Amino acid sequence: MPTREPAGARRSPLLWVPTGYFTMALGYTMLCSVTAIMFKNLGMDNGRAAAYSSMLILAYTIKPLFAPIVEMYRTKKFFVLCAQLLIGLGFAGAGLAMGLPDYMTVLLPLFWLMSFIGATQDIASDGVYVTSLDSRAQSLYCGVQSLSWNIGPIVASGFLVYLSGRLHADVFHHDPRVFGQAWMDAWRVIFFIVAGITLAMALWHTRFMPEGARAAHTPADMQGAWRILRDSFVTFFRKPGVWKMVAFAFLFRLSIGFLEKIGPFFMVDAAARGGLGLSNEQLGIVYGTYGLAAVLVGSLLGGWFVARRGLKRTLFLLCCAVNIPNVTFLAMSMVLPSSLLAITAGVVIEKFFFGFGSVGFMIYLMQQLAPGPYATTHYAFGTGLMGLCGMVTGVLSGHLQEMMGYVSYFVFVMVATIPSFLACWFAPFHLDDGFNGKQDELRSDPSPASSAAPAP
């Protein structure tokens, strides 16, 4: 088991768990989601806007590969503070770079570098949480951790997108219906705000975040880190039915991956281009606030539903919940409603059922894919496959939408639900989900090596 700090040296987790996970989520959402809206505002076509923001997911997808290296040096808090300092400076640098004549040549590499720093922050922050709290405390603060992380997207995709629209129209007096370089002024301010928040969090964590203990048998050199990584791969692919589980992890959210970037583009594109013509303020309220709130409520109810009936009995229903409500975007693209209430209802329906069904994916990874030696690393492999799906579909989605138009593209999104249903139907259950009375065929290895990569 990991060694832990003396109890007297610890501060209340409420002083650092909420702020730590909020800061993680704020940076991730700004880089991998909000940048797509910024690129769109600046006049970039849907294909490039979706592709550029989606490629930033790569670092978060492959972070299990460099997680053992983070374990080797200094303390986990050290990496958290360094990452937050660099991310804060990075966003400030992005704001400054936007004043340059050819700013995109600076902005894209900077965002790429920041994504790897952000992934390192995730690894180290999870490591602090896991090694500073005992099992009881981890369970006690799990809800706080999840809620705090979800506040990040609400602030980034909701409040900050809303604020960008207000700044653009009310402060800089530009036409909100016209996309182009005039949007730089508003987005520079947004980046400076995010930089200020991140640097303030780094200062806060300097005082209140614990150091994070080193796990027993932490690799002492690169050879040891490579051995752990190699063993984790070997044991992963020895699991019974592993390829079906890999297919499930990659395909469960396939249609959502195609919808994720294009949904906001559809909201802000003009009616002449087949969109709904919302402003950034309206997008922030509808998509980034009510939509994300619906995800939270759906997730809570989905977790309760699975706890009552068991995962094996409910997994296909959860898959239906994730995929079928995507039809609301097809309906909106055909009708083009002008009522903000109707648009909000469509988004809330899709997001609520997405949250409700997505818990099935995470629980399946925990109960079926992860157990065994290197359980934490194997769970990270599963979420990495999810991230890979999001990256691939995001890169393709903008180009496909431009070729098809919104109506045909949303028909394609519905067709893309079929692989999800097939992967879910054939997903193997080798371990007891607590409701079928079977004995586990595999058991978690309590070896400290299973902590090679912190949970994502």
Side-chain angles (χ1 to χ4, degrees):
M1 295 294 293
T3 58
R4 304 189 184 279
E5 296 180 347
R10 292 187 228 151
R11 298 183 183 275
S12 170
L14 292 177
L15 292 174
W16 57 271
V17 170
T19 53
Y21 280 87
F22 165 76
T23 309
M24 286 169 57
L26 180 66
Y28 173 82
T29 308
M30 286 297 302
L31 287 171
C32 299
S33 181
V34 176
T35 53
I37 302 300
M38 182 200 71
F39 291 144
K40 179 74 173 176
N41 288 160
L42 293 174
M44 196 175 287
D45 60 75
N46 287 1
R48 289 189 299 155
Y52 289 158
S53 63
S54 297
M55 286 189 291
L56 298 174
I57 302 174
L58 175 64
Y60 295 90
T61 300
I62 65 173
K63 67 182 181 181
L65 301 182
F66 55 90
I69 299 174
V70 175
E71 287 275 1
M72 290 166 51
Y73 304 105
R74 302 292 293 266
T75 64
K76 297 174 178 66
K77 177 181 178 179
F78 171 80
F79 279 98
V80 171
L81 296 181
C82 286
Q84 291 176 353
L85 174 64
L86 292 174
I87 291 170
L89 294 176
F91 278 117
L96 295 173
M98 293 182 78
L100 299 175
D102 195 13
Y103 64 90
M104 287 302 294
T105 59
V106 177
L107 210 57
L108 291 176
L110 179 59
F111 285 159
W112 180 265
L113 177 62
M114 289 169 62
S115 69
F116 281 90
I117 298 171
T120 303
Q121 177 193 197
D122 285 11
I123 295 167
S125 295
D126 284 335
V128 172
Y129 184 86
V130 170
T131 62
S132 298
L133 303 178
D134 58 27
S135 299
R136 181 176 177 277
Q138 288 176 27
S139 300
L140 179 63
Y141 292 102
C142 182
V144 174
Q145 175 202 58
S146 177
L147 177 62
S148 303
W149 200 99
N150 282 290
I151 291 173
I154 292 175
V155 171
S157 297
F159 173 71
L160 293 177
V161 171
Y162 171 86
L163 182 60
S164 71
R166 294 301 299 267
L167 289 170
H168 182 72
D170 298 343
V171 176
F172 298 108
H173 306 293
H174 298 305
D175 187 347
R177 295 168 295 181
V178 178
F179 294 154
Q181 299 303 302
W183 277 91
M184 282 195 302
D185 295 329
W187 281 106
R188 291 182 73 188
V189 175
I190 297 301
F191 285 143
F192 289 138
I193 291 173
V194 176
I197 294 172
T198 306
L199 292 174
M201 291 296 98
L203 287 174
W204 177 266
H205 295 142
T206 300
R207 178 173 176 81
F208 293 107
M209 180 174 281
E211 294 292 333
R214 290 175 62 84
H217 303 291
T218 294
D221 50 30
M222 289 298 297
Q223 184 177 2
W226 169 249
R227 178 185 58 78
I228 289 175
L229 186 61
R230 182 193 60 200
D231 289 349
S232 67
F233 268 100
V234 170
T235 55
F236 180 79
F237 286 102
R238 285 177 177 171
K239 292 176 181 285
V242 64
W243 290 109
K244 291 181 180 179
M245 291 191 285
V246 167
F248 173 87
F250 184 81
L251 295 173
F252 185 82
R253 303 199 339 169
L254 183 69
S255 66
I256 296 298
F258 282 115
L259 186 63
E260 188 173 15
K261 302 295 182 185
I262 303 305
F265 292 171
F266 170 63
M267 296 285 165
V268 299
D269 253 335
R273 292 174 53 87
L276 298 180
L278 299 187
S279 65
N280 272 33
E281 301 99 299
Q282 292 170 321
L283 177 67
I285 293 172
V286 172
Y287 215 87
T289 303
Y290 291 122
L292 287 172
V295 170
L296 292 177
V297 175
S299 298
L300 292 173
L301 291 178
W304 174 84
F305 181 68
V306 174
R308 293 274 297 182
R309 305 195 61 185
L311 181 63
K312 189 171 184 179
R313 296 171 58 191
T314 60
L315 185 60
F316 194 77
L317 290 176
L318 297 173
C319 184
C320 292
V322 167
N323 288 285
I324 293 176
N326 295 345
V327 75
T328 56
F329 277 84
L330 175 59
M332 287 191 289
S333 68
M334 297 173 67
V335 177
L336 296 180
S338 58
S339 167
L340 190 61
L341 180 61
I343 296 170
T344 303
V347 171
V348 166
I349 290 171
E350 187 270 327
K351 293 296 183 184
F352 171 83
F353 283 104
F354 164 72
F356 186 90
S358 289
V359 298
F361 175 82
M362 308 308 292
I363 295 173
Y364 184 88
L365 297 190
M366 294 177 191
Q367 292 184 354
Q368 304 299 320
L369 185 142
Y374 304 101
T376 306
T377 305
H378 292 173
Y379 180 81
F381 287 168
T383 58
L385 287 166
M386 176 190 70
L388 180 63
C389 175
M391 185 183 74
V392 172
T393 54
V395 168
L396 296 174
S397 61
H399 299 292
L400 291 173
Q401 185 278 319
E402 289 186 317
M403 291 169 51
M404 298 179 178
Y406 281 113
V407 174
S408 297
Y409 181 79
F410 289 134
V411 171
F412 166 76
V413 169
M414 296 308 300
V415 174
T417 64
I418 296 173
S420 303
F421 288 125
L422 292 175
C424 185
W425 185 261
F426 292 106
F429 277 79
H430 297 292
L431 303 177
D432 182 14
D433 69 348
F435 283 78
N436 56 18
K438 296 180 181 178
Q439 296 296 318
D440 290 358
E441 297 177 12
L442 297 172
R443 297 194 182 274
S444 295
D445 187 341
S447 168
S450 66
S451 65

